[in-house]
Amino acid sequence: MTLRARPVARRRGRAGWDSGDRRNSFINLGFFVAIGLSLLILVGYAAWSWYDAHYGAAATVNGQVITKDDLVNRLKIEQFRLEYIERRINTLMAKGRIARSDGQQQIDFLNQRREQLANLTLDRLVDVSLMAKLATDNGVSVSDAEVDEQLLSEATTSEQRHVWMIEIEPKVSPDSGEVEEEQLREALGRAQRAVARLKAGESWEDVARTASDSGLAPQAGDLGWLSVDSGYDKDFMTAVFAAPLNEATAIVKGADDIYRIGRATESADKEVDADFEEQVTENGIAIADYRVAARGDVVRKKLSDKIVADLKQPAAQRHVLEILLPEPNTSQVGVEPGVKVRHILFSPNDKADGAEDIKVDDPAWTKAKAEADAAYADLKAHPEKFDALARSESDEPSAKVTGGKQPWYFPTSSVDAAFKDAIFKEGLKAGDLIAPVKSAFGWHVIQFMRDQTLGEKDWLETLKTEATDEAKFRQLAKDNSEGEGAEDGGDLGWIARGQLADDVDKAVFETAIGANSSVITISGDGSYLIRVLAEETRTPTDEQIKIFEDSGFSYWYTREKEKATIDYPLSSSTTTG
């Protein structure tokens, strides 16, 4: 008998946490969960990406979001507008209404706009959003009918006329360097004689070529085809479009004091593009979206009209004095420090030109020296008279306007050697009067104003401490200012809101009556110090109204935009007013 071992059977029992089956189950479960989470993340990311691409913020204006879809839709509209304008220019060139050179220049400008279109469009959307709120605040609303008119305007080529012009420009007074009544009367007389020649039967071409001061006189004053709002003097263009063809207008005095006579020889009626809306839709633009853009354009125009109309009403104005120190011309700046001087020139025979040709023993030189010595003695006793003497006595023509103030001079400046030696003499201090100096142009009485130890802003800070009352401010303005009204102590007269550059305007109306402003520096312009004398409610003058019409809205809107909170997430830049 063979004895065999009895097999031992393994009992089935409850599986533990480390059992292979359970471990595999958990691994599989975890794998599927991970896949599910990954899919959820991918789907979520895709959804977020889609949402951000369409509804993410391209910009926000006071919390109101301008979405990326808004930007894309508006970009299509602006691209279409540029293309539509270019087609119109090409059509007008083909019809001979625009010269090829002028048309190409306009197309080149459109191409420049295309290069900047994304940024320009986003800025425009920001303005549309902000202006919509400002329009509501100012009681401005826009109707559907006004939007219809805007669309019709975009689809319309304005009436054009072939315009010719005789232009008579007044000469400048040799005494003041400005156009005065005598020069205006003389120019008007020449214009009247031109009209008389036309009425006597002379041809337009002959009169225009011989009487006109325009650079287009050789072409008989041919301005080409123009619309009434082409940018030429408004009153002149209105007269040309009101006159019958081939009939000369009356004499029109422009805002620039130039007298003009015009005529039109051909006319082209306005044309409406009946396919305009069809072209819009063919470019993938919904008419509803285009109407939104057009509404924004109408809002801007109506808001501008409202603000300008408000500016024309009687309002608070301030009587202001100013000291202006212009920013130095960078082309004149030297490596070594420069100096600022003013002078009074006494030339032989009172003429700087040709003085060097007069013999040194000529009595005219002796007389010029005597005049310089007398002025020097007078100024030693009364230095405050320098500005007035320079304007009335100097033989330098520009002194009547500048008071003898010179640009910055540097050791490398091209200037008479004797004059240069005098102004760069060591030890000179601000206000020092230099004894008469002879140059090739005559005898100079020179006052050393300052060197470049202090810049314009710092120099004005120094003057501010000295300008403790109106009289002192006026004298400092005469002695230092190179701005308007320096001759009158910097007196700008009555100033209305929106009349001056924005930062200066703000200083005028934020400074207390009888006080000096802080120093305002405007890049590319200069530094200003303002003194406010008084405030009154006044009706704007014609000159002020012209300023309001030209730039009043832009000044007003700039201030309003500074108050807004504008965020540009696309460029990661934030502007907070």
Side-chain angles (χ1 to χ4, degrees):
M1 169 181 283
T2 302
L3 297 176
R4 288 180 296 178
R6 185 177 180 179
V8 179
R10 184 181 296 270
R11 288 191 306 173
R12 295 180 63 86
R14 182 178 296 175
W17 281 103
D18 60 348
S19 100
D21 291 341
R22 178 162 295 205
R23 186 165 54 250
N24 288 339
S25 296
F26 275 104
I27 290 172
N28 290 337
L29 177 62
F31 178 72
F32 286 118
V33 169
I35 290 175
L37 288 173
S38 298
L39 289 173
L40 286 173
I41 290 171
L42 288 173
V43 170
Y45 179 77
W48 177 86
S49 297
W50 181 89
Y51 180 89
D52 182 64
H54 292 274
Y55 298 105
T60 60
V61 182
N62 292 331
Q64 181 175 343
V65 176
I66 298 169
T67 69
K68 293 176 182 176
D69 263 1
D70 294 334
L71 177 57
V72 170
N73 290 339
R74 188 58 183 256
L75 265 172
K76 287 182 182 178
I77 292 171
E78 298 306 326
Q79 288 166 346
F80 167 79
R81 282 174 163 174
L82 292 179
E83 291 166 2
Y84 188 78
I85 293 170
E86 184 171 351
R87 288 197 297 273
R88 181 178 288 178
I89 292 170
N90 283 321
T91 299
L92 293 174
M93 283 196 294
K95 292 180 177 180
R97 306 266 187 85
I98 299 178
R100 287 283 170 185
S101 58
D102 293 340
Q104 189 56 53
Q105 187 176 22
Q106 294 178 36
I107 290 173
D108 290 344
F109 174 75
L110 295 180
N111 288 333
Q112 293 174 10
R113 300 281 291 184
R114 286 188 176 97
E115 294 174 1
Q116 306 166 343
L117 195 57
N119 289 334
L120 291 173
T121 301
L122 184 55
D123 285 339
R124 180 168 292 182
L125 284 173
V126 167
D127 290 337
V128 166
S129 177
L130 181 56
M131 286 184 191
K133 173 65 167 59
L134 294 171
T136 300
D137 293 344
N138 285 274
V140 173
S141 61
V142 174
S143 68
D144 288 342
E146 289 172 320
V147 176
D148 292 339
E149 289 178 12
Q150 175 64 23
L151 292 175
L152 179 61
S153 173
E154 290 192 38
T156 301
T157 300
S158 301
E159 177 191 358
Q160 292 187 309
R161 289 194 166 197
H162 190 173
V163 180
W164 307 71
M165 177 181 69
I166 295 172
E167 187 174 81
I168 308 295
E169 184 173 0
K171 295 180 173 61
V172 173
S173 167
D175 296 326
S176 66
E178 299 177 355
V179 174
E180 297 182 348
E181 286 301 319
E182 180 182 346
Q183 285 72 39
L184 287 172
R185 285 193 298 271
E186 187 274 336
L188 177 58
R190 287 193 286 134
Q192 290 169 335
R193 288 192 290 276
V195 169
R197 290 171 62 188
L198 290 171
K199 289 182 176 179
E202 285 193 56
S203 71
W204 174 276
E205 289 74 16
D206 287 345
V207 176
R209 287 180 180 130
T210 56
S212 182
D213 296 324
S214 169
L216 294 172
Q219 290 80 46
D222 187 354
L223 296 179
W225 286 87
L226 298 174
S227 59
V228 71
D229 56 355
S230 59
Y232 277 90
D233 183 85
K234 182 178 179 181
D235 291 340
F236 170 73
M237 292 304 297
T238 300
V240 169
F241 273 72
L245 291 180
N246 295 303
E247 184 174 310
T249 68
I251 298 169
V252 180
K253 182 183 178 184
D256 52 6
D257 288 337
I258 294 176
Y259 294 98
R260 296 178 175 89
I261 305 155
R263 72 162 181 168
T265 53
E266 300 173 87
S267 177
D269 292 338
K270 68 179 182 180
E271 300 174 4
V272 178
D273 185 352
D275 299 327
F276 180 76
E277 290 195 9
E278 183 179 341
Q279 294 176 59
V280 171
T281 56
E282 286 176 352
N283 279 267
I285 302 167
I287 292 298
D289 289 340
Y290 203 97
R291 288 182 67 86
V292 170
R295 182 177 294 274
D297 296 337
V298 179
V299 166
R300 181 187 182 94
K301 182 180 185 307
K302 291 190 69 176
L303 180 60
S304 174
D305 291 345
K306 171 67 164 57
I307 296 307
V308 171
D310 289 347
L311 289 171
K312 292 179 181 179
Q313 300 304 309
Q317 296 192 21
R318 291 190 159 194
H319 188 184
V320 172
L321 305 180
E322 168 199 82
I323 300 176
L324 165 62
L325 302 184
E327 184 175 280
N329 186 335
T330 54
S331 66
Q332 297 175 335
V333 174
V335 176
E336 298 182 61
V339 297
K340 193 80 169 172
V341 300
R342 57 179 174 171
H343 77 132
I344 305 173
L345 173 64
F346 296 94
S347 299
N349 298 323
D350 299 324
K351 293 181 180 179
D353 291 340
E356 58 186 343
D357 297 327
I358 299 177
K359 295 181 179 180
V360 293
D361 58 352
D362 191 294
W365 277 105
T366 304
K367 182 176 181 291
K369 173 67 163 62
E371 291 173 341
D373 287 339
Y376 176 70
D378 191 12
L379 291 172
K380 289 285 283 185
H382 303 285
E384 72 280 0
K385 295 169 61 175
F386 197 107
D387 184 81
L389 278 176
R391 294 177 191 273
S392 63
E393 302 296 331
S394 182
D395 293 324
E396 180 186 47
S398 63
K400 294 174 175 58
V401 176
T402 65
K405 298 182 182 75
Q406 299 297 293
W408 284 97
Y409 286 128
F410 301 90
T412 55
S413 296
S414 297
V415 63
D416 184 273
F419 187 91
K420 183 188 289 189
D421 289 343
I423 64 177
F424 282 100
K425 184 178 179 181
E426 290 187 11
L428 289 174
K429 303 183 298 298
D432 282 355
L433 201 63
I434 301 172
V437 175
K438 184 182 180 183
S439 76
F441 305 100
W443 285 91
H444 305 258
V445 178
I446 306 169
Q447 185 176 45
F448 186 87
M449 297 173 68
R450 58 192 174 100
D451 57 26
Q452 284 191 307
T453 303
L454 296 178
E456 278 63 35
K457 183 179 186 299
D458 291 335
W459 183 250
L460 277 183
E461 294 287 1
T462 299
L463 298 183
K464 182 178 178 179
T465 63
E466 300 175 22
T468 53
D469 58 38
E470 179 183 343
K472 290 178 181 177
F473 193 103
R474 285 182 179 274
Q475 187 60 51
L476 289 168
K478 288 182 180 181
D479 293 338
N480 293 272
S481 182
E482 296 182 52
E484 181 183 349
E487 180 180 6
D488 299 319
D491 198 334
L492 299 184
W494 290 93
I495 300 298
R497 287 186 185 274
Q499 183 177 342
L500 302 178
D502 190 56
D503 289 342
V504 181
D505 182 271
K506 185 184 299 184
V508 166
F509 286 92
E510 290 182 355
T511 301
I513 307 298
N516 297 331
S517 71
S518 57
V519 175
I520 310 109
T521 298
I522 300 176
S523 178
D525 182 11
S527 295
Y528 295 78
L529 180 65
I530 298 294
R531 187 174 183 87
V532 179
L533 302 182
E535 180 176 291
E536 290 181 7
T537 298
R538 300 173 67 90
T539 299
T541 64
D542 290 343
E543 182 180 0
Q544 289 172 328
I545 288 173
K546 179 66 168 59
I547 292 172
F548 297 153
E549 290 174 343
D550 289 344
S551 56
F553 175 71
S554 63
Y555 284 166
W556 175 86
Y557 181 64
T558 297
R559 290 194 297 272
E560 293 300 317
K561 197 170 184 178
E562 287 175 351
K563 300 174 187 176
T565 301
I566 302 172
D567 183 40
Y568 294 91
L570 285 181
S571 60
S572 301
S573 63
T574 302
T575 303
T576 302

